[in-house]
Amino acid sequence: MTTTTYSVSGMTCGHCTAAVTEEISKLVGVQEVSIDLNAGGTSAVHVTSDTALDDTAVREAVDEAGYELVAS
């Protein structure tokens, strides 16, 4: 198991966190997603997975949810 923290901008509420959690959870190997919401700022997204995830796949999942991955 590995846990990686990503920085995501644009989230402002629980609906936002749910959308990001749903999209990232679809990635193969993801076991858990938790988010420290910083409304209007950069939120920390903690992803626990079987192995390290491909940053491009994570970026695409966050984009699909409507937000921006700013760093990993």
Side-chain angles (χ1 to χ4, degrees):
M1 290 283 197
T2 183
T3 300
T4 306
T5 300
Y6 300 94
S7 297
V8 176
S9 66
M11 293 189 287
T12 59
C13 65
H15 179 267
C16 300
T17 61
V20 170
T21 298
E22 179 181 351
E23 291 301 326
I24 292 176
S25 293
K26 292 178 183 177
L27 298 175
V28 174
V30 171
Q31 300 297 317
E32 181 180 2
V33 178
S34 64
I35 299 175
D36 297 329
L37 179 64
N38 179 11
T42 301
S43 300
V45 179
H46 310 285
V47 181
T48 302
S49 56
D50 294 334
T51 60
L53 298 174
D54 177 64
D55 285 342
T56 301
V58 174
R59 182 175 305 280
E60 289 172 358
V62 171
D63 286 347
E64 181 65 28
Y67 306 96
E68 182 180 0
L69 182 68
V70 292
S72 62

